[in-house]
Amino acid sequence: MGKWGWLCVWCLLSLRMGAQDNSTLLRIDGEPVNVSEYRSFVAGKTAAGSGIEDFIDFKLKALAGRKAGMDTLPQIRQALELCKKRCLADCMIDNHKADSAARAYYGMLKTGKFVGKVRVCQIFKSLPQNVSSRCLERVESEMDSLYQALESGRIDFETCVRNSSEDKSVFWVEYLQMPAEFEEVVFTLPEGRISCPFFTPQGLHIVKVLERKKLPAFEQLKGRLVERVVQSKWNEVTSARVERLKKKFGYKVDKDGVADLMRNGKTVKALFVLDGRTYSGKEFAWFAASHPASLRWQLENFVKKTVLDYESRQLLTASPEFASDIYFYRDSLLGAEMERREFGERILLDTVGVEHFFETHRKQYHWPHSRYDGIVLHCRSKRIAKRVRKFLKKLPSDEWMEAIRLGVNAGDSADVIAQRGLFAKGDNPYVDEHVFKGREASPMEGFPYVALVGEKIKGPLRWQDVGGQLWTDYYHYREQGWLYRLRQMFKVEINQEVLKTVNNH
């Protein structure tokens, strides 16, 4: 397995030092929640005073998310996999080793076949995540036919791009910016040559290299080099670990099922056995639908993912502290997604609700000092200032700006520059001078005459006068109402004896 593999597994099993405590702290809807999860929650919260009630609210949101099926969303599952992967990657290489490895990698690039960037054009066919096997076969066949026609000289590359490619652009590709599969082809392809059809996560490509340029300095690439080194080390450790785990869990391939899959592109037969459980073509089909690529690549990576997923479940059982950290991250994702869907997306449109909330809680939004609700007019002449001021006094305040745009400044040049707002002392020098008796303000160049229309008010008259704090308070109000409903829906039982022990600790 090698020292990196053992180091990573050891780190996973001992992310936290000290005794593990698996005592059941509480039950929510009958599901036990242990002390380790509570400690992960407290450690992960930056706000002071995060106690048991905050933790219960956190778990209720996550439970609501699971009940609504949020844990099946691709973005949630991918984020969890990335979290586990980062735990391992962080163990693989420290900053000093990363820098050394990146410099060695850069040296290999300079002396090898790679260059700084290449200019390419391509024949490209995208493949959706849920592509069917029939569609995949059709696209592969089409691209193979195009390649054969290009090789035989029956058609030129530019014509193929123009008539058959979804991407007709010519573009530069810098190293460490595109998927590794794409870079491996374009950076090793001689100038003027055409590649065989190849897969990337985006789809199928046939690429032609038009021009090549030298590799940039190390410092320009350092960040991306480190990222690629860690990814490479991750792949190395993963491959070694998968082979070890196959032996540990009694992996056994079913040659008949694999042959049927390779022959027909699909099968219902068994493909392999892992720790006594049989995995068939049905499970493979679900994986293949989300990972368009060649059939052999799909099978290889389906086996790898199955083995690693099984090991992950074993690790979660073997290391409750590690499991608690992962569950905390999972519950954070679920709760946030459920909260967003429950009311977060709709709250900014709920002006009726926020207005009612403001009317009910108006007293808490008083101002320490009066403000000026009005408009500041910078005018070209005294006559215009007088006329516009008289004109605006006859209109509702929410029509002032539109009236100036259409009725005053409708000509080729503007006669008035207007500033509408709710002004506190210090917000506007002209309001300070004329309303709050501040020092004299210099007139605007070209618009020397200033006129004001409005009134001085002691407190907000409308919810729009309050600003962001009102929306924040209304959000918390809606959140508390939701949490109240969740507590009615899901029974919460606290083990007070265990809680006393935790609090004393």
Side-chain angles (χ1 to χ4, degrees):
M1 182 176 181
K3 63 179 182 178
W4 284 115
W6 287 116
L7 174 62
C8 293
V9 172
W10 178 85
C11 286
L12 282 174
L13 294 174
S14 55
L15 282 176
R16 298 219 182 149
M17 304 304 290
Q20 297 175 355
D21 191 341
N22 302 319
S23 303
T24 298
L25 175 62
L26 53 90
R27 291 180 183 273
I28 299 180
D29 200 36
E31 296 183 10
V33 181
N34 63 35
V35 171
S36 295
E37 285 195 61
Y38 179 49
R39 286 180 175 152
S40 290
F41 169 80
V42 173
K45 301 295 284 185
T46 55
S50 296
I52 189 66
E53 293 301 321
D54 293 324
F55 179 59
I56 291 171
D57 290 344
F58 173 78
K59 294 296 292 185
L60 284 169
K61 292 179 183 180
L63 179 59
R66 281 194 288 124
K67 295 285 187 182
M70 299 297 173
D71 52 344
T72 64
L73 294 174
Q75 62 267 32
I76 300 291
R77 299 177 71 172
Q78 289 168 10
L80 274 174
E81 288 303 313
L82 184 60
C83 175
K84 295 175 188 177
K85 185 174 177 180
R86 281 175 176 166
C87 286
L88 284 172
D90 288 343
C91 298
M92 289 180 193
I93 194 164
D94 60 26
N95 290 335
H96 176 70
K97 290 180 180 177
D99 185 79
S100 299
R103 289 183 183 278
Y105 197 30
Y106 180 76
M108 179 272 294
L109 295 177
K110 284 193 72 174
T111 57
K113 55 200 174 184
F114 291 92
V115 293
K117 61 180 180 178
V118 293
R119 192 163 64 94
V120 303
C121 58
Q122 64 172 336
I123 304 166
F124 172 63
K125 298 288 185 182
S126 63
L127 293 171
Q129 289 292 305
N130 59 348
V131 63
S132 66
S133 58
R134 180 171 297 179
C135 176
L136 184 60
E137 289 173 10
R138 179 181 58 77
V139 174
E140 281 190 278
S141 176
E142 182 182 346
M143 292 291 271
D144 285 337
S145 298
L146 287 173
Y147 180 70
Q148 294 300 327
L150 288 166
E151 283 289 281
S152 65
R154 298 195 306 272
I155 191 171
D156 65 87
F157 191 82
E158 288 69 25
T159 301
C160 281
V161 172
R162 188 166 56 252
N163 297 334
S164 304
S165 180
E166 295 178 25
D167 177 16
K168 297 175 173 56
S169 63
V170 175
F171 55 97
W172 284 98
V173 179
E174 292 190 38
Y175 191 59
L176 303 171
Q177 286 189 336
M178 296 288 282
E181 300 91 339
F182 193 88
E183 290 182 356
E184 181 63 32
V185 173
V186 300
F187 283 108
T188 57
L189 196 65
E191 191 173 314
R193 290 288 299 275
I194 296 169
S195 74
C196 297
F198 64 94
F199 281 97
T200 71
Q202 285 75 41
L204 259 172
H205 312 252
I206 300 174
V207 175
K208 182 178 182 180
V209 171
L210 305 176
E211 187 180 351
R212 300 160 70 86
K213 288 195 175 180
K214 292 181 180 180
L215 201 67
F218 171 75
E219 292 302 326
Q220 291 179 254
L221 293 178
K222 181 178 176 180
R224 285 179 276 161
L225 284 168
V226 169
E227 184 178 339
R228 182 61 62 87
V229 164
V230 172
Q231 179 65 41
S232 175
K233 184 61 69 176
W234 161 261
N235 291 336
E236 176 188 323
V237 171
T238 298
S239 298
R241 192 163 81 252
V242 167
E243 293 307 312
R244 178 183 64 83
L245 293 172
K246 283 182 178 180
K247 296 178 182 178
K248 178 181 177 180
F249 297 135
Y251 170 81
K252 185 177 180 181
V253 66
D254 190 309
K255 295 181 180 179
D256 183 49
V258 171
D260 189 47
L261 175 66
M262 292 299 173
R263 185 169 52 251
N264 301 312
K266 59 182 178 180
T267 187
V268 295
K269 295 182 178 180
L271 296 175
F272 59 89
V273 176
L274 186 69
D275 204 22
R277 181 188 166 182
T278 300
Y279 293 84
S280 71
K282 184 177 180 181
E283 287 99 339
F284 170 78
W286 283 101
F287 174 85
S290 301
H291 299 79
S294 66
L295 194 60
R296 193 167 297 280
W297 183 95
Q298 287 175 323
L299 179 59
E300 179 184 332
N301 282 274
F302 172 63
V303 172
K304 182 185 292 185
K305 183 178 186 304
T306 303
V307 172
L308 292 174
D309 285 350
Y310 187 79
E311 184 206 24
S312 179
R313 292 193 294 271
Q314 299 292 313
L315 283 172
L316 290 174
T317 303
S319 177
E321 293 291 339
F322 171 61
S324 296
D325 286 343
I326 295 298
Y327 293 154
F328 169 68
Y329 183 63
R330 177 203 65 186
D331 289 349
S332 299
L333 295 172
L334 291 174
E337 180 64 19
M338 191 63 192
E339 185 174 321
R340 183 181 69 83
R341 295 195 180 195
E342 183 70 17
F343 60 87
E345 287 183 331
R346 292 173 287 183
I347 199 167
L348 292 178
L349 302 175
D350 187 15
T351 54
V352 174
V354 78
E355 182 176 8
H356 177 72
F357 180 81
F358 168 70
E359 295 297 338
T360 307
H361 303 85
R362 180 190 291 266
K363 289 183 179 179
Q364 72 186 56
Y365 297 107
H366 69 278
W367 298 325
H369 304 287
S370 298
R371 299 186 184 184
Y372 185 71
D373 182 19
I375 189 168
V376 181
L377 306 167
H378 302 270
C379 307
R380 288 193 180 278
S381 69
K382 189 174 183 179
R383 182 181 62 82
I384 292 174
K386 185 177 179 181
R387 180 169 58 85
V388 173
R389 191 170 185 275
K390 184 178 180 180
F391 170 57
L392 293 183
K393 281 187 174 182
K394 299 176 182 179
L395 298 176
S397 59
D398 56 358
E399 296 179 12
W400 286 347
M401 293 300 289
E402 189 70 2
I404 290 172
R405 187 177 72 84
L406 297 176
V408 179
N409 290 335
D412 295 333
S413 61
D415 290 324
V416 175
I417 294 176
Q419 296 168 293
R420 174 76 175 93
L422 183 64
F423 304 99
K425 188 175 182 180
D427 287 348
N428 185 287
Y430 304 99
V431 173
D432 287 352
E433 176 189 353
H434 295 279
V435 177
F436 297 119
K437 308 307 178 186
R439 64 181 182 181
E440 185 177 345
S442 301
M444 187 178 291
E445 186 176 352
F447 299 85
Y449 296 93
V450 177
L452 280 76
V453 181
E455 61 178 331
K456 204 175 186 181
I457 55 177
K458 294 182 178 180
L461 303 177
R462 307 161 301 163
W463 65 268
Q464 293 95 332
D465 298 340
V466 179
Q469 185 59 48
L470 177 62
W471 287 104
T472 301
D473 294 344
Y474 183 56
Y475 188 97
H476 290 320
Y477 167 76
R478 289 286 299 272
E479 181 185 29
Q480 291 306 310
W482 179 47
L483 287 169
Y484 175 80
R485 294 193 299 274
L486 290 180
R487 289 191 181 235
Q488 302 303 306
M489 190 182 306
F490 304 125
K491 184 179 180 181
V492 178
E493 304 169 271
I494 302 175
N495 188 329
Q496 295 294 342
E497 294 304 315
V498 174
L499 180 60
K500 288 178 184 177
T501 303
V502 174
N503 288 338
N504 291 338
H505 205 43

